Amino acid sequence: MPTPTVLPEPWADSAVSVVVPTYNEATNLPTLVEEVLSLELTRLRLLIVDDGSPDGTGDVAEKLAAEYAGRVTVLHRTAKDGLGRAYVAGLTRALDEGAEFVAQMDADLSHPPAYLPQLLGTLLSTGAGVAIGSRYVPGGSLSHQWGLHRRLLSGWANTYVKSVLGMPIRDVTAGYKMWRREALQALDLPSVDSNGYSFQVETHFRAYRRGQKMVEIPIHFRDRGQGTSKMDLGVQLESALRPLRMRTQERRARERYGKPPNRSR
């Protein structure tokens, strides 16, 4: 378990919203909420986006919202239509509620909340638009519980996406990150069309194409707590095809408007 960075008072008082999509995470959610809200960030808020989980995650979330009144809110969605759509709904709500910084993280305890102050401090100290918790920069690591097959699949996915889209970041599929408000608004969230885990790649690509500064910090990626992974065959297929579609769309846009690709960071 990493030791949380202690930020100076002006930084620690930043308005931060942490958006956490959930589906069947009732057993993990209380631990996650406790770890997040124990951090020394005075204006940190947690927004849980539940897609109608049949295991009662929504009810657990409402109890936590009552217990931590004013710090935890719940957005209930009636349909399970993918991680990407849940994130669009949650990130949009966080912006509407006035967050200065918005973090994304999984509900399964694989993303240690202790890194949140470091992500915030990285944005404030570097002027970056997004700070990414990376498994693949020096100092980053994966749970020892990950088997060889899973490690190879993750490594291949990153190599594949980088070769297709040419982004200069190590962990292009990372789901743990924090955005500046202005950087998130620049993504044009309503037009993001990824449904599943490819949402992470699409938003990284949009940030890169818009010339936003992207900084990676090393994290240790834990194995999930309780429950099972949501990475089914359909999600894997979308994740494989989406980068090709994005590259095609980008090429057509360049041909239409005659603009060279933006390679700034």
Side-chain angles (χ1 to χ4, degrees):
M1 178 72 176
T3 301
T5 299
V6 178
L7 299 177
E9 185 173 329
W11 290 6
D13 194 39
S14 301
V16 179
S17 287
V18 181
V19 177
V20 180
T22 58
Y23 187 77
N24 287 350
E25 298 288 356
T27 55
N28 292 319
L29 200 52
T31 300
L32 176 69
V33 171
E34 182 180 0
E35 289 187 16
V36 170
L37 297 185
S38 68
L39 297 171
E40 296 183 32
L41 298 173
T42 55
R43 296 172 65 196
L44 183 148
R45 302 293 181 266
L46 185 63
L47 172 59
I48 300 166
V49 184
D50 186 61
D51 278 5
S53 301
D55 74 339
T57 297
D59 294 334
V60 172
E62 286 293 349
K63 291 177 182 177
L64 291 166
E67 181 180 351
Y68 298 98
R71 299 201 69 192
V72 177
T73 56
V74 187
L75 174 59
H76 294 280
R77 287 162 29 92
T78 57
K80 181 179 182 293
D81 57 357
L83 180 74
R85 308 331 303 158
Y87 261 132
V88 167
L91 297 173
T92 300
R93 172 71 66 86
L95 290 175
D96 289 344
E97 293 178 349
E100 299 171 3
F101 302 92
V102 184
Q104 299 175 228
M105 65 186 304
D106 291 346
D108 61 7
L109 305 178
S110 59
H111 295 151
Y115 290 111
L116 287 168
Q118 188 178 355
L119 289 168
L120 175 60
T122 298
L123 290 180
L124 290 166
S125 63
T126 66
V130 58
I132 301 167
S134 176
R135 299 161 290 182
Y136 300 121
V137 293
S141 59
L142 291 166
S143 168
H144 68 276
Q145 294 176 284
W146 273 41
L148 179 61
H149 173 75
R150 198 172 175 190
R151 289 173 182 268
L152 289 174
L153 181 61
S154 177
W156 175 86
N158 266 277
T159 300
Y160 164 71
V161 172
K162 285 190 290 186
S163 67
V164 171
L165 298 178
M167 287 188 286
I169 56 177
R170 299 279 189 94
D171 198 345
V172 294
T173 60
Y176 193 13
K177 70 201 77 172
M178 188 178 293
W179 300 87
R180 283 183 182 272
R181 175 183 183 84
E182 297 79 11
L184 195 55
Q185 289 174 321
L187 299 184
D188 187 20
L189 287 170
S191 69
V192 173
D193 58 3
S194 293
N195 292 326
Y197 288 84
S198 60
F199 173 83
Q200 313 295 3
V201 175
E202 183 172 357
T203 51
H204 284 154
F205 188 58
R206 287 188 176 214
Y208 170 55
R209 294 298 305 172
R210 285 157 175 76
Q212 294 182 19
K213 185 174 182 178
M214 309 167 75
V215 177
E216 298 179 84
I217 67 166
I219 66 164
H220 174 67
F221 188 88
R222 304 187 298 202
D223 201 30
R224 74 161 23 252
Q226 303 296 316
T228 58
S229 172
K230 315 302 187 301
M231 183 68 77
D232 58 22
L233 181 60
V235 170
Q236 292 179 37
L237 183 61
E238 187 207 13
S239 298
L241 294 177
R242 181 63 60 180
L244 295 172
R245 291 173 182 167
M246 285 189 283
R247 186 178 67 177
T248 299
Q249 290 168 352
E250 182 66 25
R251 184 177 66 248
R252 288 174 178 171
R254 292 202 305 269
E255 292 172 350
R256 182 179 305 167
Y257 300 109
K259 295 180 180 180
N262 179 0
R263 296 302 183 189
S264 62
R265 285 190 69 189

